[in-house]
Amino acid sequence: MTKTYKNIVILTGAGISAESGLATFRSSDGLWNNHRVEDVATIEAFYRNPNVVHDFYNSMRPEMQQVKPNAAHTAITKLQQFYPADISVVTQNVDILHEKAGNKNVFHIHGQINQIVCLNCGNVFETWNDVSAQDVCPQCHKKGYLKPNIVFFGENLLYMNHVDSLLQSCDLFISIGTSGVVYPAAGFVQTAKFFGAESYEFNMEKTSNNILFDHHIYGPAGTTFPKFVENLLSHSDIG
Ligand code: BV8
């Protein structure tokens, strides 16, 4: 790999946070924190029983507030600091480990655990505290309209216009720690390739859409991705 890339998109999933101690979604038992994703991460479930969904995310906030980024996250920061390219992070994760590691240009397409949106006035505010369907919006002061600012199944993703332009202009697409099951994120590699990008997949194992990637690097991302970054930096014509 001697080419110097100009625009890099890094798509991340729950696997990049695994070595920081956070559960992934589709590990062996298929349950996620003892819940079926479809029971808590769907817009229908939220409207059916908002407090069940609020309680689910309330239970996740304390751990997500405490966890620390791992070597894969800090390798992204190093790449952004020293590699001569525009580098964006498009994450499916709702944790803020990318931000804690100092990553820039981070886009949470599935939302963020520490954000709440008011379905009445659209206000998005941050909190690590518990939230319930009975709480009042701090902006419009209406009660009963607060929802975790998380994209549930059946909802459109956030930042999609910007992500589309990133995918159409990138020459390197890197996927780290995602099973390639959830769309449209699982299709991003196809768009990037269509517009000429080279693609790498970092995972522990073959994924659902692995055939779409040019290169596969298997192993824990906390080990494999920092090595990849060192390799990129040693081959780039910096300065
Ligand atoms: C939408 C919020 C338009 C909750 C999430 C039929 C076919 C195709 C698509 C669909 C379909 N039916 C419905 C759809 C659309 C649906 C979808 O894709 N469903 C799937 C299940 C088939 N998608 C949607 O609804 C999306 N919206 O399409 O809008 C629309 C509008 C109206 C009506 C219809 C459609 C919304 C998708 C977002 C849903 N919200 N999360 C929350 O996060 O709390 S998705 C959820 O899955 C998380 O966001 C998560 O990030 C995401 C993907 O999971 P992964 O991150 O990949 O995690 P996973 O555990 O699966 O994998 C971890 C990987 O890491 C593994 O491969 C593992 O091997 C690896 N790993 C582990 N440790 C390590 C590691 N790798 C490296 N190192 C390690 N140490």
Side-chain angles (χ1 to χ4, degrees):
M1 170 192 14
T2 52
K3 177 182 174 193
T4 295
Y5 301 95
K6 292 185 179 47
N7 294 289
I8 302 175
V9 170
I10 303 175
L11 170 69
T12 63
I16 197 172
S17 303
E19 290 163 81
S20 294
L22 289 180
T24 61
F25 286 84
R26 290 162 194 90
S27 46
S28 56
D29 60 7
L31 286 181
W32 169 40
N33 294 353
N34 303 318
H35 287 74
R36 280 170 22 89
V37 176
E38 292 70 26
D39 291 345
V40 285
T42 67
I43 193 64
E44 295 79 12
F46 180 71
Y47 286 126
R48 194 170 53 239
N49 201 330
N51 276 330
V52 165
V53 177
H54 272 302
D55 288 348
F56 179 66
Y57 288 102
N58 289 340
S59 69
M60 287 172 70
R61 273 192 204 96
E63 183 187 23
M64 285 202 174
Q65 188 176 18
Q66 301 306 322
V67 286
K68 301 277 182 283
N70 62 61
H73 298 102
T74 48
I76 293 174
T77 301
K78 185 170 185 179
L79 191 65
Q80 288 182 320
Q81 278 170 347
F82 297 110
Y83 191 83
D86 284 336
I87 303 171
S88 297
V89 179
V90 176
T91 186
Q92 299 172 90
N93 299 336
V94 295
D95 63 59
I96 58 165
L97 288 168
H98 286 296
E99 289 82 356
K100 284 183 177 177
N103 296 180
K104 302 289 180 232
N105 311 328
V106 179
F107 299 93
H108 287 266
I109 53 172
H110 292 171
Q112 256 176 257
I113 189 72
N114 62 323
Q115 287 184 345
I116 304 295
V117 60
C118 173
L119 299 176
N120 179 57
C121 69
N123 174 39
V124 175
F125 61 95
E126 299 206 349
T127 182
W128 288 102
N129 301 324
D130 286 359
V131 175
S132 89
Q134 284 68 43
D135 288 342
V136 167
C137 168
Q139 175 162 291
C140 69
H141 308 296
K142 288 271 189 192
K143 182 176 171 179
Y145 288 94
L146 299 186
K147 167 184 172 291
N149 191 31
I150 287 187
V151 177
F152 295 137
F153 288 101
E155 287 193 293
N156 284 311
L157 273 57
L158 304 175
Y159 309 109
M160 275 312 283
N161 291 338
H162 183 64
V163 168
D164 277 337
S165 62
L166 288 175
L167 295 173
Q168 293 176 28
S169 56
C170 74
D171 49 5
L172 178 59
F173 181 85
I174 299 168
S175 168
I176 306 176
T178 180
S179 57
V181 166
V182 175
Y183 285 83
F188 287 174
V189 57
Q190 228 157 350
T191 307
K193 280 172 65 87
F194 179 79
F195 286 94
E198 193 171 355
S199 56
Y200 282 80
E201 180 180 50
F202 289 80
N203 203 296
M204 297 297 284
E205 59 193 7
K206 269 195 173 190
T207 61
S208 309
N209 59 349
N210 85 302
I211 195 164
L212 298 169
F213 287 88
D214 300 315
H215 312 280
H216 307 274
I217 299 181
Y218 296 121
T223 305
T224 58
F225 190 63
K227 275 190 198 136
F228 178 79
V229 166
E230 290 311 317
N231 201 351
L232 267 180
L233 292 173
S234 62
H235 285 92
S236 78
D237 14 322
I238 309 174

